Amino acid sequence: MVAMNIVITGGSGFVGSYLCEKLINNGHKIIVIDNLLTGSTENINDLMSNENFSFIEHDVQDHIEIENKVDYVLHFASAASPKAYTEHPVNTLKAGSVGTINTLGLAKKHQAEYLLASTSEVYGDPLVSPQTEEYWGNVNPNGERSMYDEAKRFAEAAVATYSRSYDLKTKIVRIFNTYGPRMQLNDGRVVTNFIVQALRNENITIYGDGSQTRSFSYVEDTVAGIISLMNSSEYDVFNIGNPNEMTVGQLAETIIELTDSTSEIKYLELPNDDPKQRKPDITKAKTKLNWEPKVNLEDGLTKTIKWVESQLSK
Ligand SMILES: NC(=O)c1ccc[n+]([C@@H]2O[C@H](COP(=O)([O-])OP(=O)(O)OC[C@H]3O[C@@H](n4cnc5c(N)ncnc54)[C@H](O)[C@@H]3O)[C@@H](O)[C@H]2O)c1
């Protein structure tokens, strides 16, 4: 790929910071736009002194203007965990809606390509499993997660509409549960929750009876999938995730084993609109992007546990 000027919103977050690293290593220039709501400059510390990297502290719900030529816009800015979007409901709603329109406007002005970070949450509590890109979802439009789910569904509609109306080249990635170093430790996501509790030998808290299923993708696999999509000539929607499905109970047991912990499992009441099942069908990404996840759960968890340990000992 020729060197490009790439804008990444949400680039100081968990997934965005890995994307910045990869794309800079591939010779591109990166401009991050981030309001640091849930991200941290710590994630991009190593990039700050790089002449091909710049950081703009800015909220995507406000108009975005970049003077230099922009070739590619990746819109990743949004609170992403149920805890974070419940704490910042209006910002989340606006990052997905107004923020998507603003970033599409930026792409339109520069005739840049555009990639939206969507989510498996657009499938809601799915009635079919695994979920293919053709499934339209089962979402509560005004439920407790709707500021996130419905904003992302609006974002997809906005991308499709700008693409049809202004001939913009756009792509959508529906990211499924991703984990790895740099996740925030206190944002309630299940992998880090369990690891922190296991390392402290505290009770591992499971919401519900632990039979709900999830499939977890290691961050390097997810980012490799996103970059495969960027590099492809596919202007379409793709699921990126790991189809290796397991129950939340099994995840807790695996983490207890890998951390050699004495933690016990404690069951709590299931929150509203918590999906019972999540598993991507990644046939489309496999066949059209020639991508599939490579990191097995034990290896990914071991790397994540090591990183969490280093954070806890700070
Ligand atoms: N991690 C996952 O499992 C997962 C799954 C599905 C979708 N996604 C999507 O990927 C993207 C990144 O998620 P993540 O896990 O890295 O989350 P994250 O919270 O670590 O990163 C999000 C980044 O966006 C920034 N941000 C939030 N609201 C903003 C706003 N209004 N203006 C500017 N910046 C803002 C935050 O400060 C943060 O740096 C999100 O769009 C999320 O919806 C992630």
Side-chain angles (χ1 to χ4, degrees):
M1 200 187 256
V2 277
M4 295 187 290
N5 291 331
I6 303 176
V7 168
I8 307 183
T9 72
S12 65
F14 164 49
V15 178
S17 61
Y18 283 89
L19 262 178
C20 290
E21 272 171 21
K22 279 271 174 220
L23 291 170
I24 270 216
N25 289 340
N26 292 346
H28 302 295
K29 286 192 174 168
I30 306 294
I31 301 171
V32 163
I33 297 177
D34 198 303
N35 66 351
L36 299 175
L37 184 77
T38 53
S40 161
T41 49
E42 239 181 70
N43 292 333
I44 48 170
N45 249 348
D46 292 349
L47 300 175
M48 284 294 204
S49 56
N50 191 314
E51 59 176 11
N52 288 330
F53 183 85
S54 48
F55 176 80
I56 302 172
E57 191 170 338
H58 180 83
D59 195 309
V60 293
Q61 63 180 281
D62 299 324
H63 178 74
I64 303 168
E65 197 68 57
I66 306 274
E67 300 245 315
N68 291 342
K69 174 95 189 82
V70 175
D71 302 300
Y72 216 110
V73 177
L74 296 125
H75 182 34
F76 277 66
S78 171
S81 69
K83 181 165 178 257
Y85 54 71
T86 307
E87 277 171 13
H88 307 286
V90 176
N91 195 282
T92 304
L93 191 70
K94 289 187 175 175
S97 54
V98 185
T100 303
I101 296 290
N102 284 340
T103 50
L104 281 166
L106 178 71
K108 176 174 170 255
K109 182 176 168 193
H110 290 267
Q111 277 303 300
E113 292 204 18
Y114 185 94
L115 189 148
L116 170 73
S118 184
T119 167
S120 55
E121 294 280 337
V122 299
Y123 300 121
D125 191 0
L127 302 176
V128 299
S129 188
Q131 295 87 49
T132 67
E133 289 83 351
E134 279 66 47
Y135 180 52
W136 290 351
N138 175 40
V139 182
N140 180 348
N142 51 35
E144 288 171 21
R145 288 172 177 243
S146 59
M147 78 299 255
Y148 182 68
D149 303 1
E150 291 293 8
K152 289 287 189 183
R153 287 169 70 92
F154 171 85
E156 290 204 11
V159 169
T161 304
Y162 267 62
S163 172
R164 289 186 195 113
S165 305
Y166 302 119
D167 218 15
L168 270 191
K169 289 187 158 179
T170 61
K171 305 174 178 192
I172 295 174
V173 56
R174 291 190 184 138
I175 303 171
F176 282 66
N177 255 327
T178 295
Y179 72 98
R182 296 191 199 151
M183 291 177 83
Q184 288 170 73
L185 295 189
N186 59 354
D187 77 349
R189 292 197 229 195
V190 63
V191 173
T192 36
N193 249 11
F194 287 180
I195 293 177
V196 169
Q197 290 168 331
L199 287 173
R200 291 180 170 154
N201 293 312
E202 292 168 356
N203 283 336
I204 293 209
T205 46
I206 291 187
Y207 296 97
D209 63 3
S211 66
Q212 67 273 41
T213 68
R214 295 290 184 272
S215 48
F216 299 99
S217 174
Y218 188 63
V219 63
E220 283 174 10
D221 279 336
T222 298
V223 168
I226 296 166
I227 288 179
S228 302
L229 174 57
M230 266 187 90
N231 291 343
S232 79
S233 48
E234 300 288 337
Y235 296 93
D236 204 349
V237 183
F238 283 87
N239 287 338
I240 292 291
N242 192 319
N244 179 19
E245 190 180 24
M246 74 187 60
T247 67
V248 169
Q250 283 167 334
L251 175 73
E253 278 158 22
T254 308
I255 289 176
I256 289 175
E257 213 176 286
L258 289 174
T259 50
D260 215 4
S261 172
T262 56
S263 294
E264 288 181 7
I265 296 177
K266 190 176 166 206
Y267 297 92
L268 302 176
E269 205 181 317
L270 197 64
N272 288 338
D273 295 334
D274 193 52
K276 286 175 269 314
Q277 208 177 25
R278 264 305 157 62
K279 177 179 173 169
D281 183 322
I282 56 165
T283 311
K284 195 169 164 185
K286 269 185 177 167
T287 51
K288 296 197 167 176
L289 306 179
N290 198 18
W291 167 87
E292 62 183 318
K294 294 198 166 66
V295 182
N296 73 35
L297 185 76
E298 278 73 16
D299 290 348
L301 283 177
T302 303
K303 288 185 191 173
T304 312
I305 289 166
K306 229 180 178 172
W307 179 80
V308 175
E309 255 175 334
S310 72
Q311 294 298 300
L312 292 181
S313 65
K314 263 185 183 171

